[in-house]
Amino acid sequence: MDIIKKRSEMDPKYTWATEDLYANDKLWNDDFDNALKIVEQLSSFKGSLGESADKLFSYLKLNDELSIKVNRIFNYAQRKFDEDTKNATYQDLSSRIKNLSVKIGSATAFETPEILAIPEKTLDKFYKDNNSLLIYEILINEIRRKKEHILSEKEEKILAAAEDLASSPSNIMSMFRNADLEFPDVTDENGNSRKLTAGTYTSFIKNKDQRVRKEAFMNLHNTLDKFKNTSASSYFAHVKQLMFYANARNYNSTLEKSLDESNVPTQVYKNLVEAVHQNMHYMHKYVKLRKKLLNLDELHMYDLYTPVVKGTSEKITFEEAKKNVYEAVAPLGKEYQAILKEGFENRWIDVYENDGKRSGAYSAGAKVHPFVLLNYADNINSEFTLAHEMGHAIHSYLSNKTQPTPYTHYKTFVAEVASTCNEALLMEYLLSKTTDKVGRANLINHFLEQFKGTIFRQTMFAEFEMLSHQMAESGKSLTADVLNKLYYDLNVEYFGDDIVVDNEVALEWSRIPHFFFNFYVYQYATGYSAAIALSRKILNDGDKAVKRYLKFLGGGCSLTPIELLEVAGIDMKTSQPINDALELFGSLIDELEELLAD
């Protein structure tokens, strides 16, 4: 969209249906007050969870009731806030739900210590006394698994009360990036002044005119440079709060604590980094080919995203994208397609950018139905983003539909599998119906971009996060200069000798919101590797593989993430899925070079 409209000017059919959560703010406020009453009821159970099976069951059942209500409250407040981060009304609602989270944590701080204090024999007797309690057995076992990391009730209450303060660095940077940060306009290839935002930057950096790409790159990163000390201070504060919690809970590192939330061994993270380093030659080979295909004497960082295939049009309307995604997932069966169609037709998606809207894309798995945020830009990248986020959405939908309340929220380790499997199926579909050489080359180039962006780039992010945390844990201050050098050096290592690593790219770390998500990004790379393997199983093995995959999608957190992927047929305890994916990356590079050979 050339003109960034105000939220009030957007066509409702391209906005998500928040009225499915609450018809108005008053109803939200009423439910918010009701949630506070349930919190008070939960606090009345203090000191009694080990008394009887019925007491423990009543508490956990009431906790489920609160969870369902908070899910609705949170989604309304956060979705309205993300529509327009400048709207003071929803800034307030967003703040209030964070305060509610703190109150819940404080009021229920007794829960974990009391459950841990129940002797095994007593707990076994509870299950016999009240069979309904068995639904919570997995939940109770997960709590007891972390026994050595759980503190006294008083200490747990203090940590819960500090959560709001601990989230401040992330909240500050989110407001700074989405509401306050503004960039100089960019003069496009036709001489027109165009607004540069976090959303439009993607289009500019893919422009076929190198001058436009460079101007957007410089405008964005030079602006980030002006605020580098603020960004570094916020990031360091985030790292320090995570160090505090890791230390308080007796973990050896922030990495160990973060991965333990999903019950994933740290070795999985380190295996990823090691495997990518062992296959780094594939990325260097791709960069060399990109330089050759663009016919540039010097390849710069702002040349990494522009299409290398000439004479192709990337304009893809939202309606076309929906049709392609729907047909691409046909191998997953009619049930899967029906859910996708429901999402398309019943306003699960907020489609276009508007002034103040949160940048990027995501899917939020509300129980009423998922909500998908896009900033759709009529290009192939947006088409794949649609496929990606709807993969998340259907994963959430099936988990909510299949699992009881305690197990609906799948762990972050498996979060990117369904989304990237959708992307892989879309790529296979588009390749299957493309016969001309140029069209196929264009799609393969995009496939390569996915590998580059999801495995290599996200692993580089993961390594930056790991190394910066290790620096802080060893007592080093994370100043802007320290972070810039670390990020710059990683770019040099990952992209190789056939590119000029521009100094400005050193600031890129300061615009990546996921660095405030506690070691989240590595899961894009592991998830993508698993998804590539799954997509091939689905296409090659048919119904048998589809049934296993759908069982995985409906698994929620009823098993550990590693076990869930084993249900689908993937073993992420090894580096094999990563190595196989990168081997495919290498073969696609060869095919692209052959297709575009003179």
Side-chain angles (χ1 to χ4, degrees), residues 55-85:
K55 202 76 170 181
L56 181 57
F57 175 74
S58 296
Y59 172 81
L60 293 173
K61 185 178 180 182
L62 184 62
N63 205 19
D64 281 353
E65 183 182 334
L66 178 64
S67 175
I68 293 169
K69 194 172 291 291
V70 168
N71 177 276
R72 204 176 192 106
I73 291 168
F74 175 86
N75 270 286
Y76 182 81
Q78 200 59 44
R79 303 298 75 81
K80 298 300 288 186
F81 172 67
D82 288 347
E83 290 175 1
D84 183 0
T85 58

Side-chain angles (χ1 to χ4, degrees), residues 369-542:
H369 63 68
F371 286 82
V372 171
L373 180 137
L374 300 178
N375 282 276
Y376 196 86
D378 285 355
N379 56 39
I380 193 170
N381 185 63
S382 289
E383 179 180 32
F384 275 89
T385 300
L386 173 64
H388 182 103
E389 299 305 339
M390 291 307 292
H392 281 308
I394 295 176
H395 191 179
S396 296
Y397 180 91
L398 289 174
S399 289
N400 279 321
K401 180 181 178 181
T402 307
Q403 295 297 325
T405 298
Y407 311 121
T408 56
H409 298 292
Y410 49 81
K411 298 294 186 180
T412 54
F413 186 79
V414 298
E416 297 303 326
V417 175
S419 54
T420 44
C421 186
N422 264 17
E423 288 194 73
L425 291 174
L426 176 59
M427 177 57 69
E428 294 291 346
Y429 168 75
L430 294 175
L431 284 171
S432 71
K433 70 172 193 172
T434 303
T435 55
D436 69 285
K437 184 182 289 189
V438 173
R440 185 172 181 84
N442 186 48
L443 286 169
I444 289 175
N445 175 60
H446 184 80
F447 208 177
L448 291 170
E449 287 295 297
Q450 289 180 308
F451 276 94
K452 180 193 74 178
T454 309
I455 297 185
F456 285 102
R457 183 169 163 82
Q458 297 298 333
T459 301
M460 184 180 78
F461 287 171
E463 189 169 2
F464 170 83
E465 194 171 4
M466 180 178 69
L467 293 176
S468 61
H469 278 250
Q470 288 174 355
M471 287 178 176
E473 287 166 338
S474 68
K476 191 164 188 175
S477 294
L478 299 184
T479 65
D481 289 344
V482 167
L483 293 170
N484 285 356
K485 184 179 187 306
L486 172 61
Y487 194 82
Y488 182 87
D489 290 347
L490 285 171
N491 273 270
V492 170
E493 184 174 12
Y494 273 71
F495 290 103
D497 297 330
D498 287 289
I499 190 169
V500 176
V501 180
D502 303 278
N503 291 330
E504 290 78 9
V505 81
L507 274 300
E508 188 180 48
W509 64 266
S510 65
R511 76 177 189 91
I512 309 299
H514 286 73
F515 288 150
F516 289 83
F517 292 3
N518 299 349
F519 295 96
Y520 185 96
V521 293
Y522 86 101
Q523 294 160 124
Y524 286 111
T526 54
Y528 191 86
S529 301
I532 292 296
L534 282 168
S535 66
R536 273 145 183 76
K537 285 179 180 291
I538 289 163
L539 293 171
N540 295 331
D541 299 342

Side-chain angles (χ1 to χ4, degrees), residues 23 229 231 261 323 397 487 508:
N229 295 311
S231 298
E261 295 297 320
K323 179 176 180 295
Y397 180 91
Y487 194 82
E508 188 180 48

Side-chain angles (χ1 to χ4, degrees), residues 202-449:
T202 301
S203 296
F204 285 125
I205 206 67
K206 290 184 174 186
N207 196 287
K208 294 183 179 181
D209 188 328
Q210 189 185 45
R211 182 202 57 76
V212 175
R213 299 196 300 268
K214 181 177 180 180
E215 185 177 337
F217 178 86
M218 293 300 180
N219 286 1
L220 184 135
H221 289 93
N222 287 336
T223 301
L224 293 173
D225 186 51
K226 295 176 182 178
F227 303 98
K228 63 182 179 182
N229 295 311
T230 297
S231 298
S233 295
S234 296
Y235 180 65
F236 193 20
H238 167 74
V239 173
K240 284 190 285 189
Q241 66 84 19
L242 189 53
M243 287 168 57
F244 167 78
Y245 279 98
N247 182 60
R249 294 200 176 279
N250 303 310
Y251 285 99
N252 294 314
S253 66
T254 55
L255 177 65
E256 183 184 39
K257 179 191 181 301
S258 298
L259 268 61
D260 193 47
E261 295 297 320
S262 296
N263 200 3
V264 174
T266 57
Q267 194 56 45
V268 172
Y269 195 105
K270 295 172 183 177
N271 281 348
L272 169 67
V273 174
E274 183 180 349
V276 169
H277 275 268
Q278 290 174 351
N279 290 279
M280 203 79 82
H281 59 282
Y282 287 129
M283 173 55 76
H284 298 168
K285 183 178 181 180
Y286 174 69
V287 169
K288 186 175 183 178
L289 176 60
R290 171 168 278 275
K291 180 180 179 181
K292 174 186 174 183
L293 294 177
L294 290 175
N295 194 27
L296 294 172
D297 294 330
E298 287 186 345
L299 186 74
H300 287 261
M301 300 305 291
Y302 45 80
D303 298 319
L304 280 171
Y305 302 97
T306 188
V308 296
V309 183
K310 297 180 179 178
T312 59
S313 172
E314 289 194 357
K315 186 173 178 61
I316 302 168
T317 67
F318 182 60
E319 295 304 320
E320 290 169 331
K322 288 195 296 182
K323 179 176 180 295
N324 285 338
V325 173
Y326 180 81
E327 293 177 356
V329 300
L332 292 175
K334 293 188 180 301
E335 177 191 356
Y336 192 95
Q337 283 185 303
I339 300 168
L340 182 67
K341 185 177 181 181
E342 182 181 342
F344 286 163
E345 294 180 352
N346 291 285
R347 294 177 56 215
W348 290 8
I349 309 171
D350 203 84
V351 181
Y352 296 112
E353 182 179 6
N354 60 254
D355 185 40
K357 182 178 175 179
R358 175 172 169 164
S359 62
Y362 66 69
S363 173
K367 288 185 181 294
V368 61
H369 63 68
F371 286 82
V372 171
L373 180 137
L374 300 178
N375 282 276
Y376 196 86
D378 285 355
N379 56 39
I380 193 170
N381 185 63
S382 289
E383 179 180 32
F384 275 89
T385 300
L386 173 64
H388 182 103
E389 299 305 339
M390 291 307 292
H392 281 308
I394 295 176
H395 191 179
S396 296
Y397 180 91
L398 289 174
S399 289
N400 279 321
K401 180 181 178 181
T402 307
Q403 295 297 325
T405 298
Y407 311 121
T408 56
H409 298 292
Y410 49 81
K411 298 294 186 180
T412 54
F413 186 79
V414 298
E416 297 303 326
V417 175
S419 54
T420 44
C421 186
N422 264 17
E423 288 194 73
L425 291 174
L426 176 59
M427 177 57 69
E428 294 291 346
Y429 168 75
L430 294 175
L431 284 171
S432 71
K433 70 172 193 172
T434 303
T435 55
D436 69 285
K437 184 182 289 189
V438 173
R440 185 172 181 84
N442 186 48
L443 286 169
I444 289 175
N445 175 60
H446 184 80
F447 208 177
L448 291 170
E449 287 295 297

